[in-house]
């Protein structure tokens, strides 16, 4: 089995880590720590990366597996969390990969946002 870093590198193609972090709405330090496996990736960070890397569901599942999280096991999740994940999977199937637009929709539905960056007015 490939390490998380190997799977991540396989999917990031020619993108820089900074570009992936920005697109995923993740702090660069957080992404670096996840890649180096200094902190465990949580479901929210993994979903953010799936969208930033524009992965399909099979590739997303591979990224989750590499982090030691089973994407399709939801027995420990609330119905609300399951609904959010269903929404995220639908977005991947529709190839709606813009995390900022998705966060606006998630916010409107009262779900937690993707990533860990906060938005500020310019």
């Amino acid at each position: 089995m490939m390490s998380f870093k190997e799977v991540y590198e396989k999917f990031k193609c020619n993108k820089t880590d900074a570009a992936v972090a920005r697109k995923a709405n993740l702090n660069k330090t957080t992404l670096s720590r996840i890649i180096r496996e200094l902190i465990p990736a949580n479901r929210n960070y993994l979903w953010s990366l799936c969208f930033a890397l524009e992965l399909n569901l099979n590739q997303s599942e591979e990224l989750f597996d590499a982090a030691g999280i089973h994407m399709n096991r939801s027995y420990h999740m609330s119905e609300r969390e399951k609904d959010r994940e269903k929404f995220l999977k639908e977005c991947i199937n529709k190839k709606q990969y813009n995390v900022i637009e998705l966060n606006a929709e998630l916010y409107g539905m009262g779900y937690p946002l993707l990533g860990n960056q906060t938005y500020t007015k310019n």
Side-chain angles (χ1 to χ4, degrees), residues 30-96:
T30 301
L31 178 59
S32 174
R33 289 178 178 162
I34 292 168
I35 294 167
R36 293 183 298 151
E37 299 181 30
L38 297 176
I39 62 170
N42 63 37
R43 293 182 81 85
N44 187 53
Y45 295 164
L46 291 170
W47 280 115
S48 296
L49 288 172
C50 291
F51 286 101
L53 298 170
E54 299 184 2
L55 305 181
N56 63 37
L57 284 178
N58 288 333
Q59 293 167 328
S60 297
E61 189 168 6
E62 187 177 346
L63 188 70
F64 270 73
D65 287 344
I69 298 175
H70 298 283
M71 186 172 88
N72 295 313
R73 289 199 186 148
S74 58
Y75 57 86
H76 65 286
M77 300 170 92
S78 70
E79 288 304 313
R80 187 134 175 85
E81 291 168 324
K82 290 176 187 177
D83 289 343
R84 178 181 182 259
E85 297 229 345
K86 181 180 176 186
F87 170 76
L88 295 173
K89 288 177 183 178
E90 289 170 1
C91 290
I92 285 178
N93 280 330
K94 294 176 187 174
K95 298 185 179 188
Q96 295 175 328

